[in-house]
Amino acid sequence: MRAEEAAPEGSGPEMSDRPRRSTLGRIVVALPLILFAGLAGLLLFRLFAGDPTVVPSALIGREVPEFDLPGLSGLERGGEQVPGFDSAELKGNGVTLVNVWASWCVPCRDEHPLVEQLAKDDRFRVFGMNYKDTPDNARRFLGHYGNPYEKVGVDEKGRVGIDWGVYGVPETFVVDNEGRIAFKHVGPLSQQSIAERLMPAIEKARAGTPDS
């Protein structure tokens, strides 16, 4: 009998490849789980190790996206319509705070007195971006709580907010004199966040240094 005929059943190249194929298959099956665990771990680290009100944005240091927001219909100051604003308005006019708010947003009511305080500071302007709201409700909100905004732009469909990377409301952006987004604060402002984060970011923007 020849040697190849005497080889035991199940031996040969095909059998030697089976452990390797089996290991590769287990890796392929486990890969999505490994990736998911890694992403979940990164999310938890950022949630508990960092400041949840400061969300990294790819737009920091870049010019605001092109937009043109109409004014809030029927909103007047001194008998004149409060205007909306566009991207060109944010260039060459000093530092501007853009506060994203809505009448249906409960935290917006909590932070509103602080926005009114900020509006009294003549080192920067305060604009409002009314987000996914109705004109009647937005006007009632400002009629009840006061209008601290020099200009109010209406983002009824939320499309401009998407371009700005808005996660929700309220959010506050610092835009420098060159029309670049210098800082982003997520969630309602507080005395602490204004003192520790917002005002230093404003000073950096006034000096021409976007916050990181």
Side-chain angles (χ1 to χ4, degrees), residues 136-163:
D136 288 344
N137 289 340
R139 281 195 306 271
R140 277 194 290 266
F141 180 95
L142 295 179
H144 180 75
Y145 294 101
N147 179 17
Y149 307 113
E150 182 177 326
K151 298 187 177 184
V152 178
V154 175
D155 186 18
E156 184 176 3
K157 302 299 183 181
R159 293 173 182 172
V160 174
I162 291 175
D163 292 340

Short mmCIF file of all heavy atoms in Angstrom, two decimals, residues 136-163:
data_model
loop_
_atom_site.label_atom_id
_atom_site.label_comp_id
_atom_site.label_asym_id
_atom_site.label_seq_id
_atom_site.Cartn_x
_atom_site.Cartn_y
_atom_site.Cartn_z
N ASP A 136 -46.19 82.52 18.01
CA ASP A 136 -47.03 82.95 19.12
C ASP A 136 -46.42 82.56 20.46
O ASP A 136 -46.35 83.38 21.39
CB ASP A 136 -48.43 82.34 19.00
CG ASP A 136 -49.24 82.96 17.87
OD1 ASP A 136 -48.85 84.05 17.40
OD2 ASP A 136 -50.25 82.36 17.47
N ASN A 137 -45.97 81.32 20.58
CA ASN A 137 -45.39 80.86 21.84
C ASN A 137 -44.08 81.58 22.14
O ASN A 137 -43.78 81.91 23.29
CB ASN A 137 -45.16 79.35 21.80
CG ASN A 137 -46.46 78.57 21.86
OD1 ASN A 137 -47.49 79.09 22.30
ND2 ASN A 137 -46.43 77.32 21.43
N ALA A 138 -43.28 81.81 21.11
CA ALA A 138 -42.00 82.50 21.30
C ALA A 138 -42.22 83.93 21.77
O ALA A 138 -41.53 84.42 22.68
CB ALA A 138 -41.19 82.48 20.01
N ARG A 139 -43.18 84.62 21.16
CA ARG A 139 -43.49 86.00 21.57
C ARG A 139 -44.01 86.04 23.01
O ARG A 139 -43.64 86.93 23.79
CB ARG A 139 -44.52 86.63 20.63
CG ARG A 139 -43.95 87.12 19.32
CD ARG A 139 -44.95 88.04 18.61
NE ARG A 139 -46.26 87.41 18.45
CZ ARG A 139 -46.61 86.67 17.42
NH1 ARG A 139 -45.76 86.43 16.45
NH2 ARG A 139 -47.83 86.14 17.34
N ARG A 140 -44.87 85.07 23.36
CA ARG A 140 -45.39 85.03 24.72
C ARG A 140 -44.27 84.80 25.73
O ARG A 140 -44.25 85.39 26.81
CB ARG A 140 -46.46 83.94 24.85
CG ARG A 140 -47.84 84.39 24.40
CD ARG A 140 -48.92 83.43 24.86
NE ARG A 140 -48.83 82.16 24.15
CZ ARG A 140 -49.53 81.88 23.05
NH1 ARG A 140 -50.35 82.80 22.53
NH2 ARG A 140 -49.42 80.71 22.47
N PHE A 141 -43.32 83.94 25.36
CA PHE A 141 -42.19 83.66 26.24
C PHE A 141 -41.42 84.95 26.52
O PHE A 141 -41.13 85.29 27.69
CB PHE A 141 -41.29 82.62 25.59
CG PHE A 141 -40.08 82.24 26.39
CD1 PHE A 141 -40.09 81.14 27.22
CD2 PHE A 141 -38.91 82.99 26.32
CE1 PHE A 141 -38.97 80.78 27.97
CE2 PHE A 141 -37.78 82.66 27.04
CZ PHE A 141 -37.82 81.55 27.88
N LEU A 142 -41.06 85.67 25.47
CA LEU A 142 -40.28 86.89 25.64
C LEU A 142 -41.12 88.00 26.28
O LEU A 142 -40.58 88.85 27.00
CB LEU A 142 -39.73 87.35 24.30
CG LEU A 142 -38.71 86.41 23.65
CD1 LEU A 142 -38.24 86.96 22.30
CD2 LEU A 142 -37.50 86.18 24.57
N GLY A 143 -42.43 88.00 26.03
CA GLY A 143 -43.29 88.98 26.66
C GLY A 143 -43.38 88.76 28.16
O GLY A 143 -43.48 89.72 28.95
N HIS A 144 -43.32 87.51 28.57
CA HIS A 144 -43.43 87.17 30.00
C HIS A 144 -42.10 87.30 30.73
O HIS A 144 -42.04 87.88 31.83
CB HIS A 144 -43.97 85.75 30.15
CG HIS A 144 -44.12 85.32 31.58
ND1 HIS A 144 -45.14 85.78 32.39
CD2 HIS A 144 -43.37 84.49 32.35
CE1 HIS A 144 -45.02 85.24 33.58
NE2 HIS A 144 -43.96 84.46 33.59
N TYR A 145 -41.03 86.78 30.10
CA TYR A 145 -39.73 86.74 30.79
C TYR A 145 -38.82 87.90 30.42
O TYR A 145 -37.80 88.12 31.07
CB TYR A 145 -39.02 85.42 30.47
CG TYR A 145 -39.73 84.21 31.03
CD1 TYR A 145 -40.52 83.40 30.22
CD2 TYR A 145 -39.62 83.88 32.38
CE1 TYR A 145 -41.18 82.29 30.73
CE2 TYR A 145 -40.27 82.77 32.90
CZ TYR A 145 -41.05 81.98 32.07
OH TYR A 145 -41.71 80.89 32.59
N GLY A 146 -39.17 88.65 29.39
CA GLY A 146 -38.33 89.75 28.94
C GLY A 146 -37.50 89.35 27.73
O GLY A 146 -37.18 88.17 27.55
N ASN A 147 -37.15 90.35 26.92
CA ASN A 147 -36.36 90.09 25.72
C ASN A 147 -34.96 90.68 25.88
O ASN A 147 -34.77 91.89 25.71
CB ASN A 147 -37.03 90.68 24.49
CG ASN A 147 -36.20 90.45 23.23
OD1 ASN A 147 -35.31 89.62 23.20
ND2 ASN A 147 -36.49 91.21 22.19
N PRO A 148 -33.96 89.84 26.18
CA PRO A 148 -32.60 90.34 26.35
C PRO A 148 -31.82 90.42 25.03
O PRO A 148 -30.68 90.88 25.01
CB PRO A 148 -31.97 89.30 27.27
CG PRO A 148 -32.64 88.02 26.87
CD PRO A 148 -34.05 88.40 26.47
N TYR A 149 -32.44 89.96 23.94
CA TYR A 149 -31.71 89.79 22.69
C TYR A 149 -31.75 91.04 21.83
O TYR A 149 -32.81 91.62 21.60
CB TYR A 149 -32.28 88.61 21.89
CG TYR A 149 -32.36 87.34 22.68
CD1 TYR A 149 -33.59 86.77 23.00
CD2 TYR A 149 -31.20 86.68 23.11
CE1 TYR A 149 -33.68 85.59 23.72
CE2 TYR A 149 -31.27 85.50 23.83
CZ TYR A 149 -32.52 84.96 24.14
OH TYR A 149 -32.58 83.80 24.86
N GLU A 150 -30.59 91.42 21.32
CA GLU A 150 -30.52 92.53 20.38
C GLU A 150 -31.21 92.16 19.08
O GLU A 150 -31.90 92.97 18.46
CB GLU A 150 -29.06 92.91 20.13
CG GLU A 150 -28.87 94.08 19.21
CD GLU A 150 -27.42 94.47 19.05
OE1 GLU A 150 -26.65 94.33 20.02
OE2 GLU A 150 -27.04 94.91 17.95
N LYS A 151 -31.02 90.91 18.66
CA LYS A 151 -31.68 90.39 17.46
C LYS A 151 -32.14 88.97 17.75
O LYS A 151 -31.49 88.24 18.50
CB LYS A 151 -30.74 90.42 16.25
CG LYS A 151 -30.29 91.83 15.88
CD LYS A 151 -29.51 91.86 14.58
CE LYS A 151 -29.15 93.30 14.21
NZ LYS A 151 -28.47 93.36 12.89
N VAL A 152 -33.25 88.59 17.12
CA VAL A 152 -33.80 87.25 17.30
C VAL A 152 -34.05 86.63 15.93
O VAL A 152 -34.88 87.13 15.15
CB VAL A 152 -35.12 87.27 18.11
CG1 VAL A 152 -35.69 85.85 18.22
CG2 VAL A 152 -34.89 87.86 19.50
N GLY A 153 -33.32 85.55 15.64
CA GLY A 153 -33.52 84.82 14.39
C GLY A 153 -34.34 83.57 14.62
O GLY A 153 -34.16 82.89 15.64
N VAL A 154 -35.23 83.27 13.71
CA VAL A 154 -36.15 82.13 13.86
C VAL A 154 -35.66 80.95 13.03
O VAL A 154 -35.57 81.04 11.80
CB VAL A 154 -37.58 82.52 13.44
CG1 VAL A 154 -38.50 81.30 13.48
CG2 VAL A 154 -38.12 83.62 14.35
N ASP A 155 -35.33 79.86 13.71
CA ASP A 155 -34.94 78.61 13.06
C ASP A 155 -36.08 77.62 13.24
O ASP A 155 -35.99 76.67 14.01
CB ASP A 155 -33.63 78.09 13.67
CG ASP A 155 -33.08 76.88 12.94
OD1 ASP A 155 -33.49 76.64 11.79
OD2 ASP A 155 -32.24 76.17 13.54
N GLU A 156 -37.16 77.86 12.54
CA GLU A 156 -38.40 77.11 12.76
C GLU A 156 -38.24 75.61 12.50
O GLU A 156 -38.78 74.78 13.24
CB GLU A 156 -39.52 77.67 11.87
CG GLU A 156 -40.87 77.03 12.11
CD GLU A 156 -41.97 77.68 11.28
OE1 GLU A 156 -41.67 78.60 10.48
OE2 GLU A 156 -43.13 77.25 11.42
N LYS A 157 -37.49 75.23 11.47
CA LYS A 157 -37.33 73.83 11.12
C LYS A 157 -36.10 73.20 11.78
O LYS A 157 -35.91 71.98 11.70
CB LYS A 157 -37.22 73.67 9.60
CG LYS A 157 -38.41 74.21 8.83
CD LYS A 157 -39.70 73.48 9.20
CE LYS A 157 -40.86 74.00 8.35
NZ LYS A 157 -42.14 73.34 8.70
N GLY A 158 -35.26 74.01 12.40
CA GLY A 158 -34.07 73.48 13.05
C GLY A 158 -32.92 73.20 12.11
O GLY A 158 -31.93 72.58 12.52
N ARG A 159 -33.00 73.66 10.88
CA ARG A 159 -31.95 73.34 9.89
C ARG A 159 -30.66 74.09 10.18
O ARG A 159 -29.57 73.52 10.04
CB ARG A 159 -32.46 73.66 8.49
CG ARG A 159 -33.61 72.76 8.04
CD ARG A 159 -34.21 73.21 6.72
NE ARG A 159 -35.33 72.35 6.33
CZ ARG A 159 -36.13 72.61 5.31
NH1 ARG A 159 -35.93 73.69 4.56
NH2 ARG A 159 -37.14 71.79 5.02
N VAL A 160 -30.76 75.35 10.59
CA VAL A 160 -29.55 76.10 10.93
C VAL A 160 -28.91 75.50 12.17
O VAL A 160 -27.69 75.38 12.27
CB VAL A 160 -29.88 77.59 11.13
CG1 VAL A 160 -28.65 78.35 11.64
CG2 VAL A 160 -30.37 78.20 9.83
N GLY A 161 -29.75 75.10 13.12
CA GLY A 161 -29.23 74.45 14.33
C GLY A 161 -28.43 73.20 14.00
O GLY A 161 -27.40 72.93 14.63
N ILE A 162 -28.89 72.44 13.04
CA ILE A 162 -28.15 71.24 12.62
C ILE A 162 -26.78 71.62 12.10
O ILE A 162 -25.77 71.00 12.44
CB ILE A 162 -28.95 70.46 11.56
CG1 ILE A 162 -30.20 69.84 12.18
CG2 ILE A 162 -28.08 69.38 10.91
CD1 ILE A 162 -31.11 69.17 11.17
N ASP A 163 -26.74 72.66 11.27
CA ASP A 163 -25.45 73.12 10.72
C ASP A 163 -24.51 73.60 11.82
O ASP A 163 -23.29 73.46 11.71
CB ASP A 163 -25.67 74.24 9.71
CG ASP A 163 -26.37 73.76 8.44
OD1 ASP A 163 -26.34 72.54 8.18
OD2 ASP A 163 -26.95 74.60 7.73
#
